[in-house]
């Protein structure tokens, strides 16, 4: 599913202003957040005031105030650089505008606790904060973060086993810092995340966690619960194993009010705005799965490592596509489709994804 047309419609307006002003980082205090209903602080890209680290430039400076060397890397330099700047300014504005327009929903919680920051991976050496979203290339991005933070321990991200990339001790997250340290990093580091069309991500999570026989932990914890609640006349074997959950049952479980009252969604199908809190934390760069390689290498370029570190590229034959997603929704009733869309509506709006054409919304 391609991003919505709003990106194109807003291009002219942002082109005129992007080289004059860019969105700045909020100074966030974990227990007293600024409201995004107030005017947004904006940064002049030619007068950024972030201090340099150890005599070099930070990713924030490279993003908002590119050096002449950065300009010389592209040809024609100003055209390509301005197009990239326009794109990412547009994505930042889309998030800000959605948060303002839906403030009653998006900012129900005016306070974040350290536990809310456990998805934000910190790279001290390159002054980066990455909020990982499962099913949006987070394994490869965790591998990259291990290379960036490993100080020579790793060189090739693809040599790091996937299971090792998900060991929490291998990466430091923002919730492990003190509150003053958290606020310093939120102010001074470049914060980024990657997003994906919400229902394509949801189908990807379902396929991975409920159709693969090796995911017995998910079958036991969630599959048995889903079958017990959603399947009439379930066999004892199905109730015991939980390894044959249908997509229709999974959707019914997600929209069930009891599910949402019982506990937060698992991270693999939790909304991005609940995982990364973009209405409380200002992200400098929003990458998209649809432009994954390009956006990822842009982040690496800003971090000053683009000349020797690239995002891993390989064709994944099992990747969930838009066509697959359409097929999975064929048997979902229009009532359930509408209810499910409401659950993920903010992700659709915030990251500018159009309502899928296959949906039959009531």
């Amino acid at each position: 599913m391609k991003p919505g047309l709003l990106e194109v419609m807003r291009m002219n307006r942002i082109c005129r202003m992007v080289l004059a002003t860019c969105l700045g980082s909020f100074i966030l205090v974990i227990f007293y957040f600024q409201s995004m209903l107030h005017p947004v602080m904006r940064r002049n890209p030619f007068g950024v005031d972030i201090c340099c680290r150890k005599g070099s430039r930070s990713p924030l400076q490279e993003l908002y105030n590119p050096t002449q060397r950065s300009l010389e890397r592209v040809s024609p330099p100003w055209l390509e650089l301005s197009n990239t700047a326009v794109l990412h300014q547009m994505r930042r504005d889309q998030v800000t505008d959605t948060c303002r327009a839906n403030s009653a929903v998006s900012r129900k919680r005016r306070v974040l606790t350290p536990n809310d920051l456990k998805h934000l991976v910190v790279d001290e050496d390159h002054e980066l904060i990455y909020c990982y979203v499962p099913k949006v290339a987070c394994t490869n991005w965790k591998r990259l973060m291990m290379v960036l933070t490993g100080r020579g321990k790793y060189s090739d991200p693809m040599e790091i086993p996937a299971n090792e990339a998900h060991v929490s001790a291998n990466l430091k997250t923002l919730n492990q810092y003190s509150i003053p340290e958290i606020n310093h990093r939120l102010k001074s580091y470049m914060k980024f995340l990657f997003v994906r069309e919400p229902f394509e991500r949801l189908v990807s999570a379902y396929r991975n966690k409920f159709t693969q026989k090796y995911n017995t932990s998910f079958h036991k914890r969630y599959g048995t619960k889903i079958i017990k609640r959603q399947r009439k006349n379930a066999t004892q074997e199905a109730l015991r194993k939980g390894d044959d959950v249908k997509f229709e049952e999974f959707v019914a479980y997600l929209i069930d009010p009891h599910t949402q009252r019982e506990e937060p969604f698992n991270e693999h199908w939790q909304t991005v705005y609940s995982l990364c809190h973009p209405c409380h934390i200002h992200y400098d760069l929003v990458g998209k799965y649809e432009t994954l390689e390009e956006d990822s290498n842009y982040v690496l370029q800003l971090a000053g490592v683009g000349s020797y570190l690239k995002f891993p590229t390989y064709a994944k034959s099992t990747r969930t596509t838009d066509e697959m997603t359409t097929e999975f929704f064929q048997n979902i009733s229009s009532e359930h489709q509408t209810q499910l869309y409401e659950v993920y509506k903010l992700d659709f709006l915030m990251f500018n994804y159009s309502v899928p054409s296959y949906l039959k919304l009531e």
Side-chain angles (χ1 to χ4, degrees), residues 280-329:
H280 292 83
I281 297 172
H282 169 70
Y283 286 90
D284 302 287
L285 195 146
V286 177
K288 291 197 169 185
Y289 193 75
E290 296 78 12
T291 51
L292 177 61
E293 184 177 352
E294 178 183 349
D295 292 344
S296 296
N297 288 329
Y298 182 52
V299 172
L300 296 173
Q301 175 190 322
L302 293 170
V305 299
S307 62
Y308 60 88
L309 186 61
K310 302 293 183 184
F311 186 80
T313 58
Y314 65 99
K316 190 175 182 180
S317 59
T318 59
R319 175 186 176 275
T320 299
T321 64
D322 181 45
E323 291 74 19
M324 286 184 190
T325 304
T326 301
E327 291 180 14
F328 272 91
F329 274 83

